[in-house]
Amino acid sequence: IVTGPGYSHYNELEQYIATNNDLDCAIIRHTKRISAHMLNADLAITSGGRTVLELSALEVPTVVICQNNRETTHTYASYENGIINLGHRENVTSNEIKSTLLKLISNPEVIDDMKSKMRKMDLRSGKSRVIKHISGLLK
């Protein structure tokens, strides 16, 4: 679990993990290379910023909880693109988060569908597509 330095519930999370022996996870508060953790992730819960695109490029099943109104306008974070967007944090309940995660964990076909949709977006070759498009305009 990568929380980042601004996460305010670190002590509660640490205690929860310590008292639930069936959980196999570690908490990372500070990292210089989030990409290394993303590459190894089975699932991500993130806000609706650019991290969504990075996770999508890596085909990591992602649940988005928008942190502000601006993030709710980012149309990429949708199931059409393989992402579950729960909306603005003030409107998301703990039960909704729990039921979403349980749905993903217990339904590998949903995970496969999400990854398939992410794969179709082909975000990994974006740079070469842009260069090709610009080159075509210059001819």
Side-chain angles (χ1 to χ4, degrees), residues 125-139:
S125 62
K127 180 179 173 183
S128 60
R129 280 197 323 263
V130 169
I131 290 170
K132 184 177 177 181
H133 183 71
I134 291 171
S135 295
L137 293 172
L138 296 174
K139 291 183 180 181

Side-chain angles (χ1 to χ4, degrees), residues 33-96:
R33 291 191 57 218
I34 190 70
S35 58
H37 301 290
M38 288 180 182
L39 279 168
N40 293 316
D42 295 320
L43 174 70
I45 303 171
T46 188
S47 62
R50 77 184 77 183
T51 302
V52 175
L53 291 169
E54 295 165 339
L55 289 163
S56 188
L58 297 172
E59 297 175 21
V60 176
T62 302
V63 176
V64 169
I65 301 172
C66 299
Q67 297 306 301
N68 54 56
N69 288 329
R70 183 181 45 81
E71 287 183 359
T72 65
T73 67
H74 298 174
T75 58
Y76 182 81
S78 67
Y79 198 75
E80 176 181 287
N81 296 317
I83 298 151
I84 296 175
N85 189 337
L86 298 180
H88 195 286
R89 66 181 171 81
E90 291 178 352
N91 302 322
V92 180
T93 66
S94 296
N95 284 337
E96 188 175 6

